[in-house]
């Protein structure tokens, strides 16, 4: 069992040192911005004092004009400093999150690579599964490739929404389609059919499979719906022992999960509340965030292991 408090301290110690220069750079720009705000205050009060002391010597309009001109000038400098700071923060945040993500992934997986957003087409991979919900907004926060027990895995932290847009471009009725970890697993066997283990009301129904499979366990059916092209194969996969394992995994998951097996690929959808590996760069690494990430990664490995066991033990492939 991984000690989350110790892991948070490891992350803090490792990356504070590694990113010391970036931390100092961001702090420097913030100090400049603060100093410039004080400059605006100083200019304002200096001009007010000048007007009070030298009532007859300076033109009121001239003093006010100088004050406005000075404030606008400093304001423009603040705008550019703020713009540069935000850009640096965005770049630093992404770099920092990627490093944290790789470090956490390597606790369970090997050959971990973190990719930029456009390295592979996550919407194409997602759509290939055949989920029945329609979306028109998408975003991807993490893309990574790795190995687990010699299986190639791609993990994407994604969000899909559907938004109604009228003819004037006004948006309404935004509906979350999926927000969480979407994982593609290349299997070392082929079940020659499609099976979806899903939860009605979680996000959707099956993956276009023809049949809803009636299972032998009411407790299992309270948690999952099973859809399959081949009903007998689905029942063969989900023996009583395997259903019990799935019930146990569901009970420890925070937001549930869904599994789709399509021939020699398996796809997992695991919802979560926050982006994976997102840690603030202005505060200590939060225990709860890291704990949630590690629970999700562990759950993914447990699902892969148990599907492997079910397929091989029950001679499904």
């Amino acid at each position: 069992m991984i000690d989350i408090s110790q892991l948070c301290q490891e992350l803090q110690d490792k990356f504070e040192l590694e990113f010391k220069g970036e931390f100092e750079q961001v702090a420097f720009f913030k100090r400049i911005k603060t100093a410039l705000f004080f400059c605006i205050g100083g200019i304002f009060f200096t001009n007010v004092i000048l007007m009070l002391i030298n009532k007859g010597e300076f033109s009121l309009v001239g003093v006010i004009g100088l004050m406005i001109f000075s404030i606008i000038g400093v304001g423009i400098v603040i705008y550019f400093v703020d713009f540069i700071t935000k850009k640096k923060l965005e770049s630093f945040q992404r770099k920092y999150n990627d490093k944290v993500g790789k470090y956490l992934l390597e606790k369970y997986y090997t050959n971990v690579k973190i990719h930029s957003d456009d390295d592979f087409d996550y919407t194409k991979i997602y759509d290939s599964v055949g989920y029945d919900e329609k979306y028109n907004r998408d975003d991807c926060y993490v893309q990574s490739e790795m190995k687990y027990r010699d299986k190639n895995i791609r993990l994407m932290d994604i969000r899909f929404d559907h938004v109604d847009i009228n003819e004037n471009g006004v948006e309404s009725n935004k509906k979350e389609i999926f927000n969480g970890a979407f994982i593609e697993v290349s299997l070392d066997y082929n079940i020659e059919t499609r099976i979806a283990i899903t939860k009605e009301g979680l996000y959707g129904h099956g993956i276009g499979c023809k049949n809803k499979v009636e299972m032998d366990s009411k407790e299992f059916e309270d948690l999952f719906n099973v859809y399959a092209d081949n009903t007998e194969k689905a029942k063969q996969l989900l023996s009583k022992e395997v259903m019990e394992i799935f019930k146990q995994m569901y009970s420890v998951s925070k937001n549930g999960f869904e599994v789709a097996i399509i021939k020699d690929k398996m796809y997992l959808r695991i919802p979560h509340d926050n982006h994976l590996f997102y840690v603030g760069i202005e505060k200590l690494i939060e225990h709860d965030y890291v704990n949630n990430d590690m629970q999700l990664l562990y759950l993914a490995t447990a699902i892969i292991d148990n599907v492997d066991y079910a397929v091989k033990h029950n001679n499904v492939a």
Side-chain angles (χ1 to χ4, degrees):
M1 197 69 178
I2 294 173
D3 184 324
I4 300 300
S5 296
Q6 183 180 336
L7 181 58
C8 288
Q9 192 59 54
E10 284 176 24
L11 289 167
Q12 200 77 43
D13 294 343
K14 178 178 174 60
F15 295 122
E16 272 191 3
L17 184 62
E18 185 171 336
F19 287 102
K20 185 180 178 184
E22 283 88 343
F23 276 119
E24 289 175 349
Q25 202 173 56
V26 169
F28 172 73
F29 278 105
K30 286 186 175 181
R31 284 196 294 271
I32 290 178
K33 187 177 169 183
T34 303
L36 288 169
F37 274 115
F38 277 111
C39 280
I40 287 180
I43 290 168
F44 178 78
F45 285 113
T46 299
N47 281 280
V48 168
I49 290 167
L50 281 172
M51 282 190 292
L52 292 172
I53 294 174
N54 303 286
K55 289 179 183 176
E57 297 180 25
F58 293 104
S59 160
L60 181 63
V61 174
V63 171
I64 291 173
L66 178 63
M67 180 171 66
I68 292 170
F69 180 78
S70 301
I71 289 173
I72 289 172
V74 175
I76 291 170
V77 175
I78 288 175
Y79 173 81
F80 281 107
V81 169
D82 189 53
F83 178 79
I84 293 168
T85 304
K86 282 180 180 175
K87 286 292 181 186
K88 285 192 172 294
L89 275 171
E90 285 172 10
S91 172
F92 177 25
Q93 182 76 69
R94 182 57 188 264
K95 207 161 109 180
Y96 191 57
N97 291 347
D98 285 353
K99 287 276 189 178
V100 170
K102 189 171 189 293
Y103 192 81
L104 296 181
L105 284 166
E106 285 174 342
K107 296 294 179 182
Y108 291 115
Y109 304 94
T110 59
N111 294 15
V112 176
K113 294 178 184 174
I114 303 287
H115 294 280
S116 62
D117 287 348
D118 54 0
D119 275 2
F120 48 83
D121 191 342
Y122 61 92
T123 56
K124 186 176 179 181
I125 299 167
Y126 185 88
D127 292 342
S128 70
V129 184
Y131 296 116
D132 58 1
E133 316 97 330
K134 304 299 180 187
Y135 65 88
N136 56 7
R137 289 286 170 83
D138 61 87
D139 207 347
C140 185
Y141 308 101
V142 175
Q143 289 186 353
S144 61
E145 289 184 288
M146 55 251 184
K147 281 185 176 290
Y148 179 69
R149 301 191 190 282
D150 294 325
K151 291 177 174 62
N152 292 320
I153 293 175
R154 292 198 280 194
L155 179 148
M156 293 142 271
D157 184 27
I158 57 177
R159 181 187 176 102
F160 290 147
D161 297 301
H162 186 275
V163 182
D164 293 335
I165 306 172
N166 68 18
E167 58 187 12
N168 298 318
V170 178
E171 299 181 357
S172 62
N173 302 324
K174 184 175 181 180
K175 179 188 175 185
E176 181 182 284
I177 299 302
F178 178 70
N179 180 32
F182 173 60
I183 302 170
E184 178 193 61
V185 184
S186 296
L187 304 171
D188 53 359
Y189 47 80
N190 191 331
I191 67 168
E192 300 292 347
T193 190
R194 297 181 300 172
I195 300 172
I197 305 162
T198 182
K199 174 65 177 175
E200 190 170 353
L202 177 62
Y203 283 106
H205 298 279
I207 51 173
C209 297
K210 298 173 185 175
N211 308 307
K212 185 175 186 298
V213 184
E214 299 297 326
M215 305 305 297
D216 298 329
S217 167
K218 183 182 181 305
E219 292 81 7
F220 181 84
E221 287 192 321
D222 286 342
L223 299 176
F224 296 103
N225 289 324
V226 180
Y227 297 86
D229 290 335
N230 186 322
T231 301
E232 291 307 313
K233 212 160 218 184
K235 288 187 173 183
Q236 189 180 348
L237 174 75
L238 293 166
S239 62
K240 286 185 179 180
E241 179 188 9
V242 173
M243 283 193 287
E244 190 60 38
I245 293 170
F246 265 77
K247 282 157 51 180
Q248 290 170 8
M249 289 192 297
Y250 197 94
S251 69
V252 298
S253 67
K254 189 174 180 183
N255 296 308
F257 61 88
E258 297 179 317
V259 180
I261 310 170
I262 304 175
K263 295 185 176 179
D264 61 350
K265 299 276 190 189
M266 176 162 59
Y267 301 91
L268 312 180
R269 294 202 299 185
I270 307 176
H272 60 66
D273 301 322
N274 302 298
H275 303 324
L276 280 176
F277 317 134
Y278 185 86
V279 288
I281 57 177
E282 300 177 48
K283 55 187 174 183
L284 292 174
I285 290 174
E286 293 190 21
H287 180 281
D288 288 347
Y289 281 9
V290 174
N291 187 48
N292 289 340
D293 287 350
M294 296 308 286
Q295 283 185 346
L296 188 149
L297 297 179
Y298 175 74
L299 176 63
T301 62
I303 295 169
I304 295 167
D305 284 342
N306 285 297
V307 169
D308 259 7
Y309 171 80
V311 169
K312 291 167 184 177
H313 184 72
N314 298 323
N315 299 313
V316 177

